[in-house]
């Protein structure tokens, strides 16, 4: 584990997530609290492996819930018809 320098500690104390720059590569990093990182890690782990069928099922569920709560849906279905 790497300990923060005094300058880094001041940035943490100032609030937010401080940005760090690697002077060799100019690549930027963000210092995130460990408890937040734990929650983010699960979201970032499968970044390159989206399950499109699972995403489609979630979108379908959200759209059904949105349609169920739409008071004007019946009017538009009657006026423009529905596609099966």
């Amino acid at each position: 584990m790497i300990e923060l320098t005094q300058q880094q500690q001041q940035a943490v104390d100032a609030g937010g997530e401080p940005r760090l720059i690697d002077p060799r590569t100019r690549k930027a990093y963000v210092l995130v609290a460990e408890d937040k990182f734990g929650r983010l890690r699960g979201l970032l782990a499968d970044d390159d492996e989206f399950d499109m069928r699972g995403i489609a099922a979630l979108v379908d569920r959200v759209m059904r819930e949105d349609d169920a709560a739409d008071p004007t849906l019946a009017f538009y279905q009657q006026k423009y018809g529905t596609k099966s």
Side-chain angles (χ1 to χ4, degrees):
M1 184 172 294
I2 300 170
E3 291 189 19
L4 296 175
T5 65
Q6 185 176 8
Q7 181 184 18
Q8 292 166 334
Q9 185 62 52
Q10 290 171 351
V12 169
D13 292 343
E17 280 89 26
R19 297 193 182 281
L20 310 168
I21 304 290
D22 181 340
R24 295 171 300 134
T25 63
R26 304 303 300 161
K27 188 172 184 177
Y29 297 88
V30 178
L31 182 62
V32 179
E34 185 175 12
D35 59 327
K36 289 182 182 179
F37 177 74
R39 292 185 303 209
L40 290 170
R41 189 176 197 170
L43 296 173
L44 300 174
D46 296 328
D47 190 51
D48 295 332
E49 298 180 23
F50 288 114
D51 174 19
M52 293 309 289
R53 290 178 194 252
I55 292 171
L58 290 173
V59 169
D60 187 51
R61 187 179 92 198
V62 168
M63 293 301 292
R64 264 195 319 275
E65 291 171 2
D66 189 53
D67 286 349
D70 186 351
T72 62
L73 181 63
F75 168 78
Y76 286 112
Q77 286 177 333
Q78 183 179 8
K79 182 172 181 173
Y80 298 107
T82 58
K83 295 180 181 181
S84 48

